[in-house]
């Protein structure tokens, strides 16, 4: 892992957040700064300034880094927009107006006049415009932060749903339409496959259904333990076929297709 320099203490937290994300993407890509320059079109010295917090990277550089590191460009560009606003605020320096040179002491200064009603109204208008600009900037910042949070939450929810969909096995219901599968048996690297699933560890038992069940039924049939129709439904016939195969193979007879049973089905010779 890269050893990064400490970021400047005066950096705003939003800017620091963006740079830390860019550093993580650079580490994930396992590219040197020269390799990063070749992939993104920005020089190695430029990336050294960007990743050390001495200069804010342009939008195109951030988008290129997202593609190199395999991150979501939209999410990273939202962070960049917030950081750019903070960066411009931090770099703005106001200097007091120079005091006018004293007039020659030709005599007593003329008396100061009180501000007119028109001048007071103009002053109040400027204060109101400034306050409105501040409120607008804060509203935009809050909206951008909310967009980032929503994007991250949606990405996390999608990952969780994908994980559940990858591991869940369907169960039988009355509305299911019967399907008959075709077994296309072949042997690869000493293991048998029926062309429906390559799993070796999913637990299958009563009332479950799907391609994994159909795969197991094909392998049970090949092993000489007839499960009935190859319909992808784990019913009583399939359970009895599993128990016969487990008993014949010296396995624990539980009527459940577990990892040891999968191994016996995949590697066993036909009976």
């Amino acid at each position: 892992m890269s050893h990064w320099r400490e970021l400047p203490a005066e950096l705003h937290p939003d800017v620091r957040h963006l740079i830390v994300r860019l550093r993580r993407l650079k580490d994930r890509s396992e590219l040197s700064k020269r390799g990063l320059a070749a992939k993104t079109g920005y020089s190695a010295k430029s990336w050294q300034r960007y990743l050390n917090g001495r200069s804010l990277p342009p939008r195109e550089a951030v988008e290129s880094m997202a593609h190199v590191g395999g991150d979501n460009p939209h999410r990273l560009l939202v962070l960049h927009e917030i950081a750019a606003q903070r960066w411009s605020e931090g770099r703005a320096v106001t200097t007091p107006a120079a005091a006018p040179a004293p007039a020659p002491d030709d005599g007593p200064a003329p008396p100061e006049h009180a501000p007119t009603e028109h001048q007071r109204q103009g002053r109040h208008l400027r204060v109101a415009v400034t306050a409105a600009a501040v409120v607008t900037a804060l509203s935009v910042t809050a909206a951008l932060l909310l967009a980032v949070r929503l994007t991250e939450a949606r990405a996390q929810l999608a990952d969780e749903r994908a994980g559940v969909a990858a591991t869940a096995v369907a169960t039988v219901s009355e509305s299911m339409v019967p399907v008959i599968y075709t077994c296309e048996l072949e042997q690869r690297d000493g293991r048998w496959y029926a062309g429906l699933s390559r799993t070796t560890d999913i637990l299958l038992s009563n009332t479950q259904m799907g391609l994994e069940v159909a795969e197991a039924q094909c392998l049970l049939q090949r092993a000489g333990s007839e499960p009935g129709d190859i319909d992808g439904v784990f019913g009583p016939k399939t359970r009895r076929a599993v128990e016969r195969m487990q008993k014949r193979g010296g396995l624990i007879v539980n009527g459940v297709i577990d990892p040891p049973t999968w191994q016996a089905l995949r590697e066993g010779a036909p009976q």
Side-chain angles (χ1 to χ4, degrees), residues 41-225:
Y42 291 84
S43 67
K45 289 184 178 180
S46 297
W47 278 115
Q48 186 173 0
R49 292 195 305 271
Y50 302 156
L51 297 175
N52 287 330
R54 297 201 305 268
S55 179
L56 186 70
R59 178 186 177 90
E60 293 77 11
V62 173
E63 187 173 6
S64 298
M65 176 66 88
H67 291 300
V68 170
D71 200 359
N72 186 339
H74 174 71
R75 186 188 310 172
L76 205 60
L77 290 175
V78 171
L79 293 178
H80 176 266
E81 189 170 354
I82 298 172
Q85 182 177 354
R86 298 304 187 189
W87 184 274
S88 61
E89 292 173 357
R91 287 291 185 267
V93 179
T94 57
T95 56
D105 191 9
D106 293 335
E112 296 183 357
H113 297 283
T116 64
E117 183 66 23
H118 178 73
Q119 290 173 333
R120 284 196 297 269
Q121 291 178 354
R123 187 181 306 160
H124 293 161
L125 180 60
R126 287 194 298 272
V127 171
V129 170
T130 303
V134 171
V135 171
T136 302
L138 292 175
S139 300
V140 171
T141 302
L144 290 174
L145 288 174
L146 179 60
V148 172
R149 298 294 184 270
L150 288 175
T151 302
E152 293 177 348
R154 288 171 181 167
Q156 181 179 359
L157 181 59
D159 293 341
E160 292 175 355
R161 288 178 176 174
V164 171
T167 58
V169 179
T171 56
V172 178
S173 68
E174 296 180 355
S175 62
M176 295 295 180
V177 178
V179 177
I180 301 300
Y181 296 91
T182 300
C183 301
E184 299 180 358
L185 292 169
E186 63 174 344
Q187 191 175 26
R188 292 184 181 178
D189 300 327
R191 289 175 173 245
W192 286 95
Y193 299 93
L196 299 170
S197 174
R198 301 185 67 84
T199 183
T200 58
D201 56 5
I202 290 181
L203 293 177
L204 299 176
S205 60
N206 280 339
T207 74
Q208 290 181 327
M209 62 178 295
L211 293 175
E212 291 80 8
V213 177
E215 175 82 7
Q217 289 173 332
C218 290
L219 297 178
L220 285 166
Q221 190 179 69
R222 187 200 67 83
S225 187

Side-chain angles (χ1 to χ4, degrees), residues 21-38:
R21 288 289 292 273
L22 293 176
R23 286 181 171 185
R24 289 177 182 172
L25 291 176
K26 194 264 183 188
D27 289 340
R28 185 190 302 175
S29 70
E30 298 182 353
L31 293 173
S32 64
K33 290 187 176 67
R34 290 186 177 180
L36 194 59

